[in-house]
Amino acid sequence: MTHSLPTDGLRIVFAGTPGFAAHHLQQLLDSRHQVIAVYSQPDRPAGRGKKLMASPVKQLAATHNIPVYQPLSLKSAEAQAELAALQADIMVVVAYGLLLPAAVLSIPRLGCINVHASLLPRWRGAAPIQRAIEAGDDMTGVTIMQMDVGLDTGDMLVKSTCPITPEDTGGSLHDRLLTLGGPALLEALDQLQAGQAVAEVQDDALSCYAAKLSKEEALLDWRLPADVLARKVRAFNPVPVAYARLAGSAADERIRIFQASVLAASNGSSPGTIVEVSSRGIGVACADHTLLIEEVQLPGKKVVTVEELLRGHGDYFRAGDTMELPGQ
């Protein structure tokens, strides 16, 4: 015998900041649940003018006349009292950017749940989408997790999976996971409200740490295998974007690389040596095979295919030139 869920939705406090979070907020706004308040990171300077910019979550909340709170921290008694006064049933956290102290986790009646963009416990931390591609995983997904004091260590409520294709970039996978997160979140909320949620404890032995992305690690090291570099190119597109520099060029003359593939044949040249310049791409020797760079952006220019680049800058790359090796 099945029981229908209560028609009255949960009173939800939503905490999130970027566009990924705003998408999930919209899913809640379109549901039977009631978003009574939103927490988001303080406005930040953005753009060339460095004007203060509200987060996507704050902007969306404003269009629905939902109260927005932007504390610098949730550690103070004042901030916690403010949250408690809202008398929420549950807090939904999606890429908020602030740690939730233990005292906060127990304020809502049903606690706090999180939408995490990996199949926990595989990738805990800040950049699970990019690290999954970089590591060569063939499967990922979204996990709805009951939050605890650890970093993405809470019990799992709902999982939704999807494959990682050989063509996936950080951007394309982000967009696909976006479509999984909303339904999974609503399923978890329904289960919690009906008292039917079954929490699964994470196996810590299976976890990896998805470290935050940095511009420094986006500089390609040609001493690595070509397939490792090809995955890095895909993972770091569109942020922070893998890059290289011709040996001897200025530090700000980055060649940003948006698309590349592996040429199976070994070339025998030293890592970093340009072995091919043709309309199909720029081939650079790696530890084993050759990485064929197919789509690039030169400083101050737009993103183009190598074929397009060579029409106007045919002498920019020449076979025999070398790419800079990190640390040298």
Side-chain angles (χ1 to χ4, degrees):
M1 179 177 178
T2 59
H3 298 276
S4 59
L5 294 172
T7 55
D8 292 339
L10 294 170
R11 287 170 51 83
I12 295 173
V13 168
F14 184 87
T17 299
F20 187 84
H23 176 84
H24 289 82
L25 174 57
Q26 185 64 61
Q27 298 287 299
L28 295 176
L29 294 171
D30 294 339
S31 75
R32 64 189 178 86
H33 301 292
Q34 181 185 3
V35 180
I36 60 173
V38 158
Y39 279 68
S40 195
Q41 287 267 336
D43 298 357
R44 307 287 189 200
R48 292 186 176 181
K50 297 297 180 185
K51 293 182 178 178
L52 284 179
M53 179 73 74
S55 73
V57 164
K58 181 181 178 182
Q59 294 179 40
L60 178 58
T63 64
H64 291 267
N65 297 315
I66 300 171
V68 177
Y69 299 82
Q70 297 177 281
L72 296 175
S73 165
L74 289 171
K75 295 179 180 178
S76 71
E78 180 182 2
Q80 292 171 15
E82 194 171 53
L83 175 62
L86 295 171
Q87 297 185 313
D89 292 319
I90 195 167
M91 187 171 189
V92 173
V93 181
V94 186
Y96 179 29
L98 281 186
L99 292 175
L100 269 57
V104 167
L105 298 175
S106 60
I107 289 177
R109 179 174 65 88
L110 295 173
C112 303
I113 63 173
N114 174 245
V115 179
H116 187 74
S118 89
L119 294 178
L120 288 172
R122 172 62 175 155
W123 290 107
R124 297 170 176 169
I129 298 174
Q130 294 83 358
R131 298 303 179 195
I133 296 174
E134 188 181 16
D137 292 1
D138 56 12
M139 189 68 68
T140 188
V142 168
T143 304
I144 311 301
M145 173 191 65
Q146 190 87 52
M147 297 180 71
D148 63 14
V149 294
L151 176 64
D152 301 328
T153 56
D155 293 350
M156 302 173 290
L157 300 173
V158 174
K159 284 185 176 182
S160 186
T161 64
C162 78
I164 299 176
T165 73
E167 292 77 32
D168 264 326
T169 65
S172 68
L173 190 55
H174 166 279
D175 293 347
R176 207 154 70 252
L177 293 179
L178 207 58
T179 66
L180 300 180
L185 172 60
L186 295 176
E187 181 181 346
L189 291 172
D190 287 346
Q191 291 178 1
L192 288 166
Q193 186 175 12
Q196 297 173 342
V198 178
E200 178 186 357
V201 176
Q202 293 190 37
D203 183 349
D204 292 340
L206 301 178
S207 70
C208 296
Y209 177 59
K212 186 177 180 180
L213 304 175
S214 71
K215 291 183 179 179
E216 290 73 20
E217 65 177 317
L219 174 60
L220 296 183
D221 187 342
W222 304 100
R223 294 163 292 199
L224 295 173
D227 63 337
V228 172
L229 297 184
R231 292 199 302 267
K232 189 182 287 280
V233 168
R234 292 195 290 118
F236 288 9
N237 179 1
V239 176
V241 183
Y243 68 95
R245 275 192 291 260
L246 285 168
S249 63
D252 59 350
E253 292 183 357
R254 295 181 177 184
I255 304 159
R256 305 177 83 207
I257 302 169
F258 287 81
Q259 184 173 316
S261 61
V262 177
L263 293 182
S266 177
N267 54 77
S269 298
S270 300
T273 304
I274 296 178
V275 297
E276 174 182 337
V277 179
S278 70
S279 59
R280 70 170 181 168
I282 300 163
V284 182
C286 303
D288 49 5
H289 303 310
T290 297
L291 187 75
L292 187 69
I293 302 170
E294 298 163 327
E295 197 171 272
V296 298
Q297 182 182 34
L298 297 181
K301 306 294 184 181
K302 64 181 183 179
V303 180
V304 294
T305 64
V306 166
E307 183 176 13
E308 292 170 323
L309 173 72
L310 295 179
R311 290 187 197 131
H313 299 79
D315 58 347
Y316 198 96
F317 299 98
R318 295 170 298 186
D321 287 350
T322 56
M323 295 288 194
E324 176 183 306
L325 296 175
Q328 292 188 356

